[in-house]
Amino acid sequence: MVLGETGTGKELIARAIHNLSSRFGRPFIKLNCAAIPFDLLESELFGHEKGAFTGAIAQKIGRFEMADKGTLFLDEIGDIPLALQPKLLRVLQEQEFERLGSGRTHKVDVRVVAATHRDLGEMVRRNEFRNDLYYRLNVFPVRLPPLRERREDIVPLIMYFVEICCSRMGKTIEQIPPETISAFTSYSWPGNIRELQNLVERSVILSNDGVLPNPLPAAETKPVTSLSAPTTLRESERALILETLESVGWVVGGNKGAAAKLGLKRTTLISKMEKLGISARGRRLSGPFGGTSVTSRIQ
């Protein structure tokens, strides 16, 4: 069960679970339970036979059958209607189901990853969600913190989305002004990473002369913190790596090293350090940025 606010990346986590498991290479099937009308949801999940109901002009394979030997991602599981929940519980418990209009039982081997932004425990207390289904789904909960609780991720995400948007739009961003960085890092992000991605895209569209503007209204951000100079993408990445190295005592590899904290391979981080002129010797910069010690930080 993946829990988190809207826009925190629950589907990405589900895909990561699939890709890192023995089921990698098998189907990854997804279904947004909130996007399918109730009278069609059962057919989407379990399939139907020709003539099972008005409009069923051909046999249909359901998502559980499609995901056999793989992973089925059920997004917004809290929107499953009560009337359908016993059938979902049965397939989770017994790994078997019948298509609509058929008496034949189909066995499947499916790992289910469910996700919701709703409080299922509270829904159970209000009798809006079956407690037995809740306990069956909640075997291994994964809670994703909102972006406002992990602000250290904001700058790397900005750089990542800027790169994607520039590639798609054929534009170039060479500089991120301090006021843009400050606005992004101080904003509350109610829409989380999805909102950040959309605002970065807006900012790239509005950009001129390779400068990334602040797309947020002044009323939605805190006062701008003072930084001594404009921040380029290269400088932002360099500062992030240096700050991470400082926090781990300049240990690059290992479970608690900088590479692990940054989500990079050890060799990748070393390559980036070389390109950015970062040397552990004396904990000072070398190369194109000179030999001065690091004194600035991205807030």
Side-chain angles (χ1 to χ4, degrees):
M1 175 80 78
V2 184
L3 306 168
E5 296 179 6
T6 299
T8 50
K10 295 186 286 293
E11 183 179 336
L12 286 175
I13 294 298
R15 284 187 178 276
I17 291 170
H18 175 76
N19 291 340
L20 293 171
S21 74
S22 60
R23 294 175 185 260
F24 178 65
R26 300 288 186 169
F28 177 87
I29 306 298
K30 58 183 180 179
L31 177 66
N32 188 326
C33 301
I36 308 296
F38 169 67
D39 54 348
L40 298 178
L41 186 55
E42 184 175 2
S43 173
E44 285 292 330
L45 286 168
F46 307 118
H48 64 251
E49 298 292 343
K50 180 179 179 180
F53 51 85
T54 302
I57 60 176
Q59 184 188 77
K60 177 183 174 65
I61 303 299
R63 303 299 174 99
F64 270 98
E65 208 165 342
M66 293 167 62
D68 191 27
K69 303 297 189 298
T71 300
L72 176 60
F73 174 56
L74 297 178
D75 198 8
E76 300 301 347
I77 193 71
D79 289 276
I80 288 275
L82 273 170
L84 190 54
Q85 291 180 21
K87 294 185 177 182
L88 179 58
L89 177 63
R90 182 199 171 198
V91 71
L92 292 176
Q93 293 276 57
E94 309 297 334
Q95 295 279 293
E96 62 182 29
F97 65 94
E98 290 86 35
R99 295 184 193 142
L100 285 172
S102 171
R104 179 188 171 193
T105 299
H106 294 265
K107 297 286 289 186
V108 288
D109 173 15
V110 176
R111 186 250 314 283
V112 172
V113 180
T116 182
H117 71 282
R118 305 176 70 175
D119 186 342
L120 291 189
E122 181 59 30
M123 291 180 68
V124 168
R125 287 188 284 274
R126 296 197 304 261
N127 295 319
E128 296 174 356
F129 201 88
R130 291 178 62 103
N131 61 350
D132 47 3
L133 178 58
Y134 170 66
Y135 296 132
R136 189 67 188 87
L137 289 168
N138 201 38
V139 173
F140 195 92
V142 178
R143 187 174 299 278
L144 301 185
L147 188 56
R148 61 183 173 273
E149 293 181 7
R150 47 191 178 107
R151 295 184 182 275
E152 67 277 7
D153 292 340
I154 292 175
V155 171
L157 285 168
I158 292 172
M159 293 190 291
Y160 173 71
F161 291 133
V162 163
E163 183 177 350
I164 290 177
C165 292
C166 286
S167 175
R168 188 173 69 244
M169 299 178 194
K171 302 189 77 170
T172 300
I173 298 295
E174 298 175 345
Q175 192 177 97
I176 305 178
E179 57 268 22
T180 300
I181 290 289
S182 179
F184 272 81
T185 54
S186 61
Y187 182 53
S188 60
W189 298 111
N192 292 291
I193 299 173
R194 185 180 294 119
E195 183 183 13
L196 173 64
Q197 180 179 4
N198 293 338
L199 283 176
V200 168
E201 183 173 358
R202 180 195 302 175
S203 193
V204 172
I205 291 171
L206 296 171
S207 65
N208 290 307
D209 302 323
V211 178
L212 191 74
N214 170 24
L216 289 161
E220 296 183 3
T221 59
K222 297 177 182 177
V224 177
T225 56
S226 60
L227 296 178
S228 58
T231 305
T232 65
L233 290 176
R234 182 181 176 90
E235 289 168 348
S236 298
E237 185 174 32
R238 175 169 60 94
L240 175 65
I241 291 174
L242 282 164
E243 186 166 351
T244 304
L245 286 166
E246 290 279 2
S247 70
V248 297
W250 286 74
V251 176
V252 175
N255 294 334
K256 296 182 179 180
K261 288 196 68 175
L262 290 167
L264 300 173
K265 293 182 179 179
R266 178 178 174 275
T267 52
T268 302
L269 177 55
I270 291 173
S271 176
K272 285 180 175 290
M273 290 171 63
E274 290 175 352
K275 290 179 181 179
L276 295 169
I278 298 174
S279 172
R281 184 171 51 193
R283 301 187 183 181
R284 299 173 70 85
L285 295 178
S286 61
F289 295 101
T292 57
S293 60
V294 179
T295 57
S296 62
R297 293 286 184 268
I298 294 178
Q299 300 299 319

